[in-house]
Amino acid sequence: MTYSLAIHGGAGVIPRDAMDADGERDHNAALARILEEAEAVLRDGGDAMEAVTVAVCALEDEPLFNAGHGAVYTAAGRLEMDAAVMDGVGRRAGAVAGICGPRNPILAARAVMERTGHVLMVGEGALEIARDAGLTFEDPSYFRTEQRWQALKETLRMMEDGTLDDDPSRRHGTVGAVARDRAGHLAAATSTGGMTAKRPGRVGDSPIPGAGTFADDATCAISATGDGEAFIRWAAAHEIDARMRLAGRSCAEAAHGVVMTDLAQNGGSGGLIAVDRDGRISLPFNCEGMYRGWAMEDGPRGTAIYGPVEDPAPATGT
Ligand code: ASP
């Protein structure tokens, strides 16, 4: 079997008419660098869970994307981050919500999966697991970027004036990765600061298995980005799994159907990355763009920001 890997830096892309050549180059270069870092894990025989963890740590460390360093602010000017990992082997999962402290929230999610019998943890209990796991903690100043702070100020002003538009770059973003390793195992990881000016205590789809994150070796691994409330209500990732399991749909059919129809028609602007048990990758989004990258062993690889919405051709010999 060959490996497959996809990553995303969120559907909260800078609108095409506001993106300059340097910005486009920087985003694509960051995606390519992180893709290569995570691909090296799979190339060297590492497993899918390790590859998605490495990818999401690197995406969290990269301030261009809304997670970890570069996370967006709540309406109260604080940082509340959500993250989840899910393992296709036995649907093991770990997640944290509303936390600020661990440098890499995805490692806190993984610690929940590996060190507790629980799935989703919040508050002091979540931080305690991260501390017990020996994770690096940072002050809030580490996560701060001027761009996200300005986005909060602008969003709050627009909310007050009643002029709030739906510019995705100011409001959204998330990072994630999905992989199939050479043993055929799947894994998914997702991490986010959430939505700019969200109410304190709001939790999105990213840390919820079956909404923004999902993996089962029998079907697919998924990491989503977009209007979290719609992804939760439409159980987006689970819906794709269910269509594959119960209705015999391919991953591509199910993923495109959920994103382009169910979510698009119900306020669920955004997209997702998926890899199926055969290593095929789907990258549907129903908005202007989604920062994304993909790599298949001996197959296609690349990065993209805007449309067209196109899946990489399946690798042969999977
Ligand atoms: N899905 C994320 C959330 O709702 C945000 C995003 O991906 O844009 O928290």
Side-chain angles (χ1 to χ4, degrees), residues 82 172-174 192 194-195 202 204-206 224-228:
D82 303 337
H172 286 291
T174 283
T192 188
M195 297 170 84
R202 178 261 188 190
D205 59 313
S206 308
T225 169
D227 283 298

Side-chain angles (χ1 to χ4, degrees), residues 184-243:
H185 295 310
L186 304 180
T190 312
S191 179
T192 188
M195 297 170 84
T196 303
K198 65 184 179 181
R199 284 184 77 115
R202 178 261 188 190
V203 175
D205 59 313
S206 308
I208 300 180
T213 305
F214 182 80
D216 186 332
D217 281 1
T219 53
C220 60
I222 290 168
S223 172
T225 169
D227 283 298
E229 280 70 11
F231 282 71
I232 294 172
R233 289 160 60 227
W234 263 259
H238 171 263
E239 180 68 25
I240 295 166
D241 163 73
R243 288 183 194 183

Side-chain angles (χ1 to χ4, degrees), residues 12-283:
V13 299
I14 297 170
R16 206 195 283 261
D17 54 17
M19 178 72 101
D20 59 21
D22 287 353
E24 194 158 350
R25 191 201 52 225
D26 291 351
H27 282 84
N28 276 307
L31 290 165
R33 169 176 56 77
I34 293 165
L35 192 68
E36 169 52 33
E37 216 177 299
E39 189 182 352
V41 173
L42 295 167
R43 196 186 300 123
D44 295 346
D47 65 22
M49 177 53 68
E50 192 51 26
V52 296
T53 306
V54 164
V56 171
C57 280
L59 287 157
E60 287 174 337
D61 292 345
E62 169 55 66
L64 287 175
F65 306 117
N66 170 16
H69 183 200
V72 300
Y73 287 92
T74 69
R78 301 223 167 77
L79 294 154
E80 295 182 3
M81 298 174 226
D82 303 337
V85 292
M86 192 154 173
D87 192 341
V89 182
R91 295 194 180 202
R92 293 168 74 227
V96 290
I99 64 162
C100 183
R103 180 188 179 98
N104 292 107
I106 203 67
L107 296 180
R110 194 161 163 181
V112 170
M113 180 178 80
E114 288 173 348
R115 300 170 76 95
T116 79
H118 304 310
V119 170
L120 174 56
M121 307 237 7
V122 302
E124 191 46 43
L127 295 178
E128 199 178 307
I129 289 157
R131 266 185 227 108
D132 289 350
L135 301 187
T136 304
F137 275 59
E138 300 285 357
D139 286 334
S141 60
Y142 161 78
F143 301 101
R144 184 185 200 280
T145 58
E146 189 54 27
Q147 183 213 350
R148 301 299 188 196
W149 186 251
Q150 290 308 326
L152 172 65
K153 290 208 320 209
E154 203 179 313
T155 305
L156 290 175
R157 182 185 51 74
M158 291 171 107
M159 281 168 139
E160 209 172 298
D161 297 352
T163 55
L164 190 61
D165 61 10
D166 59 359
D167 178 345
S169 63
R170 202 186 43 255
R171 287 179 50 73
H172 286 291
T174 283
V175 307
V178 292
R180 184 186 79 154
D181 59 31
R182 286 187 183 133
H185 295 310
L186 304 180
T190 312
S191 179
T192 188
M195 297 170 84
T196 303
K198 65 184 179 181
R199 284 184 77 115
R202 178 261 188 190
V203 175
D205 59 313
S206 308
I208 300 180
T213 305
F214 182 80
D216 186 332
D217 281 1
T219 53
C220 60
I222 290 168
S223 172
T225 169
D227 283 298
E229 280 70 11
F231 282 71
I232 294 172
R233 289 160 60 227
W234 263 259
H238 171 263
E239 180 68 25
I240 295 166
D241 163 73
R243 288 183 194 183
M244 293 177 71
R245 258 182 315 116
L246 306 174
R249 298 276 185 276
S250 70
C251 182
E253 276 175 304
H256 284 260
V258 166
V259 170
M260 300 306 194
T261 306
D262 300 54
L263 291 167
Q265 290 175 358
N266 292 289
S269 167
L272 56 83
I273 56 173
V275 62
D276 73 7
R277 59 182 175 253
D278 298 319
R280 292 187 174 82
I281 291 172
S282 286
L283 309 163

